[in-house]
Amino acid sequence: MSPRRRRTITRAVQYAVLVVAVLLAATLADWGQLQHQFLDPSVARRMFPGMITTALVNTVIYTLTGFGVGLVLGLVIALMRLSSVAPYRWLASIYIELFRGLPALLIFIFIGVGVPLAFPGTALPGGVYGQVAIALGLVAAAYMAETIRAGIQAVPRGQMEAARTLGMSRTLAMRSIVIPQAFRIIVPPLTNELVLLFKDSSLVLFLGVSLETRELTKFGRDLAGETANSTPIFVAGLCYLLVTVPLGYLVRRLEARHAKAR
């Protein structure tokens, strides 16, 4: 048997197995029970407009503020990692390894419980919004720092040398020449980090949020408990997809454009 014929038969068998698996799942599943538990229209109607006006809006706010904190802190950590001063490099490396190694849940618990215990009588500005921005920012900064560092190192060294030849200081050349080019390179991975933060915002429920500060997951869980039905959780998942799927498509387009430009 020729290799081409073998590949054709193998592909046909794979397709057949897939079709059989789908048919079995469709035949054996109790669709009536699934519809009642996850797609009950009467329960879904109770979620609106609060699902959009409160939960989704709060989720977007948490994500954007956490992304902003992470981007600024990540840039500082990346520059420390590239610094010629050894203690700066050590501190940056410790931060990156620490916050990349710890689960995000532990960071949220530390911000929500550890900080008030360590500094009695003090509170982060913005209440829950401030706590979430710091928690998400600390987690995101560890990953963004490595992304930004890679972007800076991807800029040709000749760019810095040309700027120094023109009389620019190293700081000015880095700020006006190297970093802008680096950010054009790392836009796709940063957008991907935004998608991850949007999903990580579900950890806000461990901070003890109020009715006005609930995000999608907390909103869905609360209503699911009230109705003894999983439709709110399913609808909350759809709301996540309404944001993450377009962002994922945007990431792929940016990556394709960057590859074409290169």
Side-chain angles (χ1 to χ4, degrees), residues 69-174:
V69 172
L71 186 61
V72 173
L73 184 57
L75 177 59
V76 173
I77 298 298
L79 294 176
M80 291 174 62
R81 187 78 185 272
L82 295 171
S83 174
S84 59
V85 182
Y88 287 170
R89 295 198 304 272
W90 299 338
L91 289 174
S93 298
I94 292 172
Y95 178 91
I96 291 171
E97 295 302 326
L98 178 64
F99 283 92
R100 286 201 307 182
L102 289 174
L105 173 59
L106 295 183
I107 306 302
F108 272 82
I109 294 176
F110 173 75
I111 294 297
V113 179
V115 172
L117 291 176
F119 305 98
T122 62
L124 293 174
V128 172
Y129 294 100
Q131 291 179 333
V132 176
I134 296 299
L136 285 178
L138 289 174
V139 175
Y143 295 92
M144 290 185 183
E146 288 294 88
T147 301
I148 295 171
R149 178 186 62 81
I152 292 174
Q153 291 180 327
V155 177
R157 294 178 60 88
Q159 298 290 315
M160 174 63 76
E161 295 171 355
R164 296 300 301 274
T165 301
L166 294 175
M168 291 186 180
S169 65
R170 182 176 180 83
T171 301
L172 178 59
M174 181 67 72

Side-chain angles (χ1 to χ4, degrees), residues 234-254:
F234 182 78
V235 175
L238 293 179
C239 290
Y240 278 105
L241 291 176
L242 287 176
V243 176
T244 57
V245 170
L247 282 177
Y249 176 75
L250 177 61
V251 170
R252 293 192 294 272
R253 290 296 302 271
L254 290 173

Side-chain angles (χ1 to χ4, degrees), residues 156 181 184-188 252-262:
Q181 293 186 61
R184 283 196 292 270
I185 296 172
I186 63 175
V187 164
R252 293 192 294 272
R253 290 296 302 271
L254 290 173
E255 289 176 345
R257 178 179 297 181
H258 178 64
K260 184 178 180 180
R262 293 186 62 182

Side-chain angles (χ1 to χ4, degrees), residues 20-230:
V20 170
V22 171
L23 290 177
L24 284 175
T27 303
L28 299 177
D30 187 346
W31 293 104
Q33 184 64 23
L34 288 174
Q35 188 274 333
H36 172 71
Q37 188 65 27
F38 293 98
L39 292 171
D40 191 331
S42 61
V43 176
R45 282 193 293 268
R46 294 181 54 183
M47 304 177 65
F48 296 92
M51 174 66 77
I52 303 298
T53 58
T54 299
L56 182 58
V57 169
N58 283 334
T59 301
V60 172
I61 293 174
Y62 295 148
T63 303
L64 294 179
T65 53
F67 184 82
V69 172
L71 186 61
V72 173
L73 184 57
L75 177 59
V76 173
I77 298 298
L79 294 176
M80 291 174 62
R81 187 78 185 272
L82 295 171
S83 174
S84 59
V85 182
Y88 287 170
R89 295 198 304 272
W90 299 338
L91 289 174
S93 298
I94 292 172
Y95 178 91
I96 291 171
E97 295 302 326
L98 178 64
F99 283 92
R100 286 201 307 182
L102 289 174
L105 173 59
L106 295 183
I107 306 302
F108 272 82
I109 294 176
F110 173 75
I111 294 297
V113 179
V115 172
L117 291 176
F119 305 98
T122 62
L124 293 174
V128 172
Y129 294 100
Q131 291 179 333
V132 176
I134 296 299
L136 285 178
L138 289 174
V139 175
Y143 295 92
M144 290 185 183
E146 288 294 88
T147 301
I148 295 171
R149 178 186 62 81
I152 292 174
Q153 291 180 327
V155 177
R157 294 178 60 88
Q159 298 290 315
M160 174 63 76
E161 295 171 355
R164 296 300 301 274
T165 301
L166 294 175
M168 291 186 180
S169 65
R170 182 176 180 83
T171 301
L172 178 59
M174 181 67 72
R175 185 175 68 246
S176 59
I177 303 297
V178 177
I179 291 179
Q181 293 186 61
F183 269 86
R184 283 196 292 270
I185 296 172
I186 63 175
V187 164
L190 286 183
T191 307
N192 192 53
E193 182 64 31
L194 183 62
V195 174
L196 296 177
L197 282 182
F198 187 78
K199 294 184 294 183
D200 284 344
S201 65
S202 61
L203 296 173
V204 172
L205 60 92
F206 291 98
L207 295 179
V209 295
S210 63
L211 293 177
E212 293 76 19
T213 57
R214 290 182 297 179
E215 41 70 52
L216 286 171
T217 300
K218 176 63 174 174
F219 190 96
R221 286 187 59 181
D222 288 349
L223 193 55
E226 294 175 9
T227 60
N229 190 280
S230 299

